Amino acid sequence: MTDLHPRFAGRAAFAPRADYRLLPCRFLALDAARVVVTNEVGEHVVMTRPQLRAFAGHGLAVHDPLYRVLKAKHFLFDDESRAALDLLALKVRTRAAPIARLTGLHIFVVTLRCDHSCHYCQVSRQTADKTQFDMTPAHADRALDIVFASPSPAIKIEFQGGESLLNFALIRHIVLEAERRNAVAGRDLQFVIASNLTHVDDEVLAFARAHRIFFSTSLDGPEDLHNANRPLRGGNSHQAALAGIARIRAALGPDHVSALMTTTPASLPRVAEIIDEYVRHGFRSIFLRSLSPYGFAVRTRLVGGYDIADWLAFYREGLAHILALNQRGVAIREELTALLLHKMFAPSGTAYVDLQSPAGIAIGALVYNYDGKIYASDEGRMLAEMADPSFCLGSLDDQSFASLMTHDGLHGMLEDSLAESAPMCADCAFLPWCGADPTFHRATQRDVVGHKAFSAFCAKQMAVLRHLVTLLEDDPAAARVLRSWL
Amino acid sequence: MLIKLGGRGLRALGPVSPRPFLGRISDQPGANEIYLARAPGPLPAGFRAYLLPDVPAGPTAPIEVADAYVLDPQFAYLAAGDVIRIEPARGAVQAIYRRAARTNSLLVTERCNNYCVMCSQPPKARDDAWLVDELLQAIPLISPETGELGITGGEPALLGPRLVELVARMRDCLPTTAVHILSNGRLFATGDLARQLAQLRHPDLMLGIPLYADVPEIHDYVVQARGAFDDTIRGILNLKRHGVRVELRFVIHADTYQGLPAFAQFVARNLLFVDHVALMGLELMGFARTNLDALWIDPLDYQAELGAAVDILARAGVRVSIYNTPLCVLDRALHHVARASISDWKNAYLAECDACAARDRCGGLFASSTVRSSRGIRRVSFG
Amino acid sequence: MGDGDRELTFEDGAVRVVFDLRVYRQTAIQKAAYRFADRFTAVLGARDGHALAAALQFKPTTSAATAREAVRQFYQELLDQELREQIADETTAVRTLILAHAFSNVDLIKRDA
């Protein structure tokens, strides 16, 4: 390598001082030989244990490639260069800033009536009685007062049930009223109807097209699996769902309907088939969800039917299948993975309310139930069905956005469940990529914080993240696909 | 074409002014207007100066006006709307602004507080405050239809409040002209300069700030100043805090190319709010020529790093461009971000370019590339 | 590695150990024990100088091999926890500085209007 003209100083003249200072970081074991280290904003480096000891012991030489990586990614700094502190502060701020937008997701449970009797359902009622289980227009209007009192620039109104389309009249009312108010409020307003699609008729389609409404439906897998989970008296839920999907795509466009799967013990050995079913029916996204511990599922012993290791095998096999499909040119991405990748690599993290610290309860999402009660999350509503009302924040009859946001009980739960101060979470390397789940821990351990050593949520998060870090580190082909999901 | 922007080229035909002066080439008389005669003939009264074509010796009409000169043919490109400086004592002319050029750069100082190993305009430590004085006079003469003006140096921020004054005058006289200031950003790190510049509310202002690495030691080495990285980062943050648009510029050479992907990661994670990133081929002028053997790397040999950097930045949503690199030496996948960026007066194409299918879209080479150029220069055909 | 090298005896479903507090601080022991609560219950005894005795109590059905492996991993975790404490001590001040700056009222960046 030729030297510069003597008038110029060589690299040695600009070498940093040998002594460096640590920046805040956390680490945990990735596997037998390596650790993963994260900084305050979730940037990570994988290294061996001897390297960790050298780094933490101030023994890393300035010409070591690891030194350069750790300095650039803000794990260490030297006293001469403090720009790292300004940049870290800015990054912390960028990740935290979205919290201040407050509640963007507003769920309206317009009816509990339903025509299906899904085994894992937490809430529905088989009845034709509209008076007992439908939301009233008066309550809907009061809920809209709260919706537009939220400062969030983006508002998503999601209709749930039961089967939400059984109360289409109220959905119509809410959409029209929300749009009328939004003409003044000027938010980015989106509507989603969660439905099993057996009641998607021309009137619904025309209205949805006129108001650019999105649909979200359940597709648990191939026909036998789906129908076993989701019995529809006198019908075939799987066929009805596919027919509904086709009609929506034809009327509104290919991306106006998304599908969610619910995992049951029967799903666990069939992940590739489930994914193939999604691909076959034109979906580009699938969320490999774990079984929730709420409602009917607990009562029918479904939760006890498998343990976390079984689900993790399901996830790993499913992800491998999806990565292989991607490498063959099929565009399908796994949503849990994608959102964890965003938490790992995107400066602003993600807006997914179920994986935040402080938890997204109330401050990220609010649920307005058919009976006028307000819940801090959809899971909180389900917990109330199990006779635990801790996440009920009151009633539409007397609450306002301000009173909800300053609710003492809510603040207690937010503070208590804050991962940054929870045992084990506080010094966990995965903290920036994880979140608090107070409803899950309340449901399974009767405590919003929970003891994480006994937490299926924690076990799942840690195993999935270890798996992803390992893939990114060791499998370049997989890493390329994963990064393309960002 | 490599054209001379200034130098000796005026032969006085009669009495001349004692000191240098500015003027605009025009066919309307005025105190600041200069008449450019295309053929021999009578000279109209009322102009500040007169430029005549190089006519063969022979009987000519007597020149009765002051500041009439014969213009050397190498300056025959001058045209209406151009703003020039005439130095009667030296018989020199300098084109400060050319209306026909795609962009014009206004040199505000040759002093600098960095000393980049590849600097194409090596710094000079002398008092050249007169440059700004002159530009303040020149700006009102520049056509308001001008699309963009550049401010370069040396380090323009060394002007301090005079830089603010200059931009203010551009805002007032040329309200629809974009202004692009090249600066190392260091002097914006502290004090009031960033705020003052922002408060001008110039309608289309951007600062182009070089950043050469993700760690201080490499950047400081490239610019030969310890502490420069920190100052530059703080300067960028300060400017963005006040709402000034900032573009990052990364010059690719032997000492920087390996760090391209790491640099892109650093920008994608820490500086996502910048308005543009330009990844630039090396111009072989000034110190780049002095250090040629140490700094030269054939662009063909850094396509992997360049492609990785573009990919990282594009995925992060950062606007990215490749400057100063002909299409034949760029991976096909990168052609869509390559821009024709070389100023026309130092832009060149080679013989093989005539038959090249990409000629119209390609920015060509620096005229200085004759010193050394890529082994990959060849005409491209699209299959 | 200290205590971990010694032969671990598994009696009455428990492994008895003595921690050297000059090597592991008490908070590190407690945090490591908390993490392993699903595998054993650490019953910490009284402190005697720089020695802290403990009984690591396993579920009745646990085999000796399983117990020993858990204790081996526990000592690894203890080392890690000690290192975490050290890093936290060193970085507390700069972390406070960064967070204070991040959450101050000063405008850190203004996007284009």
Side-chain angles (χ1 to χ4, degrees):
Chain A
M1 182 77 177
T2 321
D3 286 342
L4 297 173
H5 184 281
R7 166 184 331 164
F8 297 90
R11 282 191 197 239
F14 297 94
R17 302 154 45 137
D19 57 324
Y20 57 84
R21 296 174 57 173
L22 302 183
L23 284 166
C25 60
R26 300 175 173 91
F27 70 91
L28 59 78
L30 180 66
D31 54 37
R34 298 177 294 183
V35 295
V36 51
V37 192
T38 57
N39 70 10
E40 200 63 29
V41 290
E43 297 172 84
H44 79 280
V45 178
V46 173
M47 64 182 81
T48 65
R49 281 182 178 283
Q51 284 176 316
L52 173 66
R53 276 196 294 276
F55 157 57
H58 298 263
L60 218 50
V62 299
H63 56 260
D64 189 324
L66 184 60
Y67 174 92
R68 160 102 178 250
V69 170
L70 291 174
K71 193 169 200 177
K73 286 187 161 183
H74 299 149
F75 287 77
L76 60 83
F77 70 111
D78 69 61
D79 245 339
E80 261 190 72
S81 168
R82 308 188 115 224
L85 304 185
D86 289 321
L87 290 172
L88 264 175
L90 188 53
K91 287 189 283 192
V92 168
R93 177 106 153 204
T94 302
R95 280 177 82 93
I99 299 171
R101 292 200 207 122
L102 290 180
T103 320
L105 176 60
H106 300 264
I107 297 175
F108 285 68
V109 182
V110 293
T111 181
L112 273 201
R113 290 180 292 127
C114 192
D115 51 356
H116 279 56
S117 13
C118 306
H119 295 319
Y120 45 65
C121 179
Q122 282 83 35
V123 289
S124 310
R125 299 289 191 276
Q126 291 275 298
T127 174
D129 183 348
K130 295 187 188 184
T131 59
Q132 236 193 323
F133 296 110
D134 282 17
M135 178 184 271
T136 65
H139 273 154
D141 288 344
R142 302 239 26 201
L144 285 173
D145 291 342
I146 294 171
V147 169
F148 284 96
S150 164
S152 178
I155 300 279
K156 186 192 283 192
I157 291 179
E158 199 175 284
F159 299 104
Q160 296 253 19
E163 168 46 47
S164 62
L165 284 177
L166 287 176
N167 195 355
F168 177 65
L170 188 64
I171 291 177
R172 175 197 288 275
H173 169 88
I174 293 168
V175 169
L176 292 174
E177 180 58 19
E179 286 181 339
R180 190 187 69 78
R181 299 187 193 204
N182 199 43
V184 172
R187 314 298 177 84
D188 171 15
L189 184 59
Q190 261 196 41
F191 300 101
V192 180
I193 296 176
S195 164
N196 58 41
L197 304 186
T198 51
H199 302 274
V200 173
D201 58 24
D202 289 338
E203 188 198 354
V204 169
L205 285 174
F207 186 78
R209 183 166 56 233
H211 299 275
R212 287 187 296 278
I213 300 177
F214 289 81
F215 287 84
S216 166
T217 193
S218 280
L219 182 64
D220 285 1
E223 185 171 9
D224 66 310
L225 183 59
H226 178 106
N227 287 339
N229 281 346
R230 302 173 62 81
L232 170 62
R233 190 193 313 238
N236 180 324
S237 173
H238 185 262
Q239 281 182 14
L242 291 180
I245 289 164
R247 299 194 66 206
I248 292 168
R249 284 185 177 148
L252 272 58
D255 291 324
H256 265 257
V257 53
S258 63
L260 279 179
M261 62 161 292
T262 302
T263 313
T264 62
S267 321
L268 293 183
R270 301 177 66 178
V271 68
E273 286 179 65
I274 298 170
I275 293 164
D276 289 343
E277 182 76 3
Y278 271 65
V279 171
R280 179 175 315 121
H281 295 292
F283 289 103
R284 288 196 286 267
S285 155
I286 181 168
F287 198 140
L288 297 176
R289 298 199 295 171
S290 45
L291 185 60
S292 74
Y294 311 100
F296 289 5
V298 173
R299 292 211 279 281
T300 57
R301 322 282 310 145
L302 272 175
V303 172
Y306 73 109
D307 66 24
I308 193 69
D310 294 333
W311 184 86
L312 285 167
F314 165 83
Y315 169 80
R316 280 193 213 102
E317 190 192 327
L319 183 62
H321 187 67
I322 288 170
L323 291 173
L325 283 168
N326 271 261
Q327 272 151 22
R328 297 207 306 267
V330 179
I332 176 130
R333 98 181 181 172
E334 201 284 311
E335 287 309 311
L336 171 65
T337 309
L339 85 91
L340 290 173
L341 289 169
H342 276 84
K343 288 182 92 83
M344 291 170 74
F345 294 109
S348 55
T350 84
Y352 183 66
V353 298
D354 290 339
L355 201 63
Q356 302 291 340
S357 178
I361 48 172
I363 60 175
L366 280 168
V367 179
Y368 313 104
N369 209 5
Y370 72 99
D371 59 0
K373 293 220 174 68
I374 304 169
Y375 292 90
S377 71
D378 212 22
E379 289 78 16
R381 163 171 77 117
M382 295 167 193
L383 210 55
E385 295 288 334
M386 290 160 68
D388 182 346
S390 358
F391 293 87
C392 180
L393 300 177
S395 162
L396 285 167
D397 294 328
D398 44 49
Q399 294 283 0
S400 67
F401 186 73
S403 67
L404 289 167
M405 293 296 112
T406 53
H407 189 288
D408 275 338
L410 173 67
H411 280 220
M413 289 192 290
L414 284 169
E415 282 182 44
D416 287 348
S417 65
L418 197 67
E420 283 77 357
S421 43
M424 275 177 73
C425 302
D427 52 27
C428 178
F430 293 153
L431 173 67
W433 303 338
C434 199
D437 198 339
T439 33
F440 180 91
H441 291 104
R442 177 85 194 166
T444 54
Q445 296 188 34
R446 297 242 171 64
D447 171 47
V448 293
V449 185
H451 190 309
K452 297 309 191 305
F454 299 96
S455 165
F457 166 82
C458 178
K460 166 189 153 177
Q461 283 289 106
M462 293 198 70
V464 170
L465 285 167
R466 277 197 172 98
H467 186 65
L468 289 181
V469 171
T470 305
L471 278 178
L472 287 164
E473 196 70 17
D474 297 343
D475 187 340
R480 247 190 318 274
V481 174
L482 291 171
R483 282 179 193 274
S484 75
W485 292 350
L486 282 166
Chain B
M1 61 168 169
L2 181 62
I3 59 172
K4 274 192 76 170
L5 288 179
R8 292 195 140 98
L10 300 176
R11 177 160 60 87
L13 293 171
V16 297
S17 299
R19 280 184 295 278
F21 60 93
L22 292 183
R24 168 176 53 198
I25 295 176
S26 168
D27 53 13
Q28 299 297 315
N32 295 305
E33 313 304 322
I34 294 177
Y35 184 80
L36 179 64
R38 291 295 181 196
L43 298 178
F47 285 82
R48 181 67 180 79
Y50 299 80
L51 301 175
L52 281 63
D54 198 26
V55 295
T60 53
I63 305 292
E64 284 156 7
V65 292
D67 287 301
Y69 307 84
V70 173
L71 181 67
D72 189 288
Q74 67 182 328
F75 298 106
Y77 61 80
L78 291 176
D82 292 355
V83 177
I84 64 176
R85 177 203 314 133
I86 289 178
E87 295 175 48
R90 278 180 62 215
V93 63
Q94 177 80 31
I96 290 174
Y97 162 82
R98 289 174 303 123
R99 197 163 79 172
R102 191 182 58 232
T103 60
N104 281 272
S105 277
L106 307 177
L107 178 73
V108 299
T109 181
E110 289 188 286
R111 293 175 298 131
C112 193
N113 53 352
N114 276 355
Y115 201 71
C116 303
V117 300
M118 68 287 184
C119 183
S120 58
Q121 182 94 30
K124 297 185 175 106
R126 59 180 173 221
D127 182 357
D128 50 15
W130 62 269
L131 281 168
V132 187
D133 296 332
E134 183 178 79
L135 284 174
L136 287 167
Q137 288 179 50
I139 284 162
L141 302 176
I142 292 175
S143 164
E145 280 155 20
T146 304
E148 180 183 310
L149 281 176
I151 293 181
T152 67
E155 173 49 49
L158 284 168
L159 267 48
R162 301 216 77 202
L163 177 64
V164 180
E165 193 187 342
L166 188 66
V167 177
R169 180 146 308 179
M170 291 163 98
R171 177 199 62 193
D172 296 338
C173 297
L174 309 167
T176 59
T177 303
V179 172
H180 190 271
I181 304 176
L182 290 183
S183 164
N184 60 41
R186 295 179 65 188
L187 292 165
F188 292 97
T190 53
D192 232 16
L193 196 56
R195 190 185 58 79
Q196 287 173 8
L197 200 60
Q199 277 181 340
L200 291 179
R201 300 226 182 295
H202 189 286
D204 194 349
L205 174 68
M206 180 182 271
L207 263 70
I209 298 184
L211 191 65
Y212 298 122
D214 53 342
V215 287
E217 42 268 32
I218 295 178
H219 176 92
D220 287 359
Y221 156 70
V222 173
V223 310
Q224 297 278 300
R226 222 172 160 107
F229 178 85
D230 266 36
D231 288 345
T232 294
I233 292 286
R234 289 222 177 84
I236 292 167
L237 294 182
N238 211 7
L239 285 161
K240 291 307 296 177
R241 188 175 290 139
H242 289 98
V244 179
R245 286 160 66 222
V246 170
E247 143 191 289
L248 300 181
R249 292 159 85 89
F250 183 105
V251 176
I252 311 169
H253 56 64
D255 277 336
T256 60
Y257 79 95
Q258 286 166 319
L260 264 167
F263 168 78
Q265 301 267 31
F266 179 79
V267 172
R269 200 68 198 238
N270 292 279
L271 300 172
L272 204 59
F273 43 80
V274 298
D275 300 275
H276 183 237
V277 175
L279 307 173
M280 308 174 53
L282 186 64
E283 181 179 3
L284 304 181
M285 294 271 295
F287 290 158
R289 195 179 295 200
T290 311
N291 289 314
L292 186 56
D293 289 335
L295 297 180
W296 169 260
I297 174 168
D298 192 323
L300 289 179
D301 297 329
Y302 60 64
Q303 289 302 300
E305 290 85 352
L306 180 58
V310 170
D311 189 54
I312 291 164
L313 290 168
R315 275 192 204 294
V318 180
R319 287 179 50 231
V320 56
S321 304
I322 296 173
Y323 286 178
N324 306 345
T325 313
L327 295 178
C328 50
V329 306
L330 272 184
D331 274 355
R332 197 59 69 93
L334 298 177
H335 282 197
H336 70 287
V337 293
R339 313 269 174 254
S341 54
I342 299 175
S343 305
D344 60 355
W345 63 273
K346 48 184 176 176
N347 195 198
Y349 293 81
L350 304 179
E352 39 261 79
C353 302
D354 291 336
C356 178
R359 172 82 162 83
D360 292 340
R361 288 194 294 114
C362 180
L365 301 117
F366 284 108
S368 57
S369 300
T370 50
V371 169
R372 192 172 302 186
S373 57
S374 170
R375 64 187 186 275
I377 304 283
R378 64 184 50 121
R379 63 186 172 87
V380 165
S381 53
F382 298 116
Chain C
M1 190 152 145
D3 311 71
D5 288 341
R6 280 186 297 149
E7 181 76 22
L8 295 172
T9 49
F10 182 57
E11 253 177 61
D12 299 324
V15 174
R16 286 171 208 291
V17 296
V18 180
F19 299 114
D20 185 341
L21 291 167
R22 294 168 303 184
V23 177
Y24 313 107
R25 63 190 91 181
Q26 187 147 349
T27 43
I29 296 167
Q30 286 166 332
K31 285 184 184 173
Y34 189 92
R35 263 180 211 278
F36 273 67
D38 59 325
R39 307 222 247 163
F40 55 74
T41 303
V43 182
L44 301 179
R47 187 180 165 155
D48 178 14
H50 56 76
L52 178 64
L56 308 180
Q57 193 70 48
F58 287 82
K59 288 203 263 284
T61 52
T62 313
S63 72
T66 306
R68 285 202 184 93
E69 176 57 18
V71 175
R72 192 196 66 77
Q73 290 180 16
F74 175 74
Y75 272 98
Q76 177 67 74
E77 178 62 30
L78 201 46
L79 277 177
D80 282 353
Q81 207 56 42
E82 182 59 34
L83 184 56
R84 288 187 187 111
E85 299 278 313
Q86 175 200 317
I87 292 174
D89 283 348
E90 268 191 59
T91 57
T92 294
V94 73
R95 182 167 185 263
T96 305
L97 184 67
I98 290 165
L99 293 180
H101 190 35
F103 293 107
S104 70
N105 272 332
V106 174
D107 245 333
L108 290 190
I109 282 294
K110 187 160 106 183
R111 308 251 157 198
D112 278 345

